[in-house]
Amino acid sequence: MAPNGVTPRTDINLVPLNAAAARLNVSTKTLRRRIADGSITGYRIGRLVRVDLEEVTERLLVTIPTARGAR
């Protein structure tokens, strides 16, 4: 357990913003906006910003409901 009482995750896959953006076909600016609004977590390592690829995929990919699915 970390000194602040939070158990650190060990399954985290940190990647650069440009790699995550390319994977999801969005801009790095979009990812920076989502970090700023708290939708996704950004991690600073020195001057570099990284994101957890699994978290970004989970939070940004949303299934669109259709009228056919409601029948």
Side-chain angles (χ1 to χ4, degrees):
M1 190 172 290
N4 61 0
V6 177
T7 304
R9 288 180 50 198
T10 57
D11 62 338
I12 201 163
N13 181 17
L14 296 179
V15 296
L17 290 180
N18 60 352
R23 174 85 182 258
L24 295 172
N25 201 23
V26 298
S27 70
T28 55
K29 191 172 183 177
T30 296
L31 295 180
R32 288 184 186 278
R33 280 191 210 114
R34 296 299 160 254
I35 292 168
D37 72 15
S39 304
I40 60 174
T41 306
Y43 300 91
R44 186 171 294 281
I45 302 171
R47 294 179 58 198
L48 306 173
V49 177
R50 300 285 192 249
V51 291
D52 179 6
L53 189 55
E54 186 176 321
E55 176 192 359
V56 171
T57 303
E58 183 179 291
R59 297 207 178 151
L60 293 186
L61 290 181
V62 179
T63 304
I64 300 172
T66 62
R68 290 180 191 227
R71 291 183 187 177

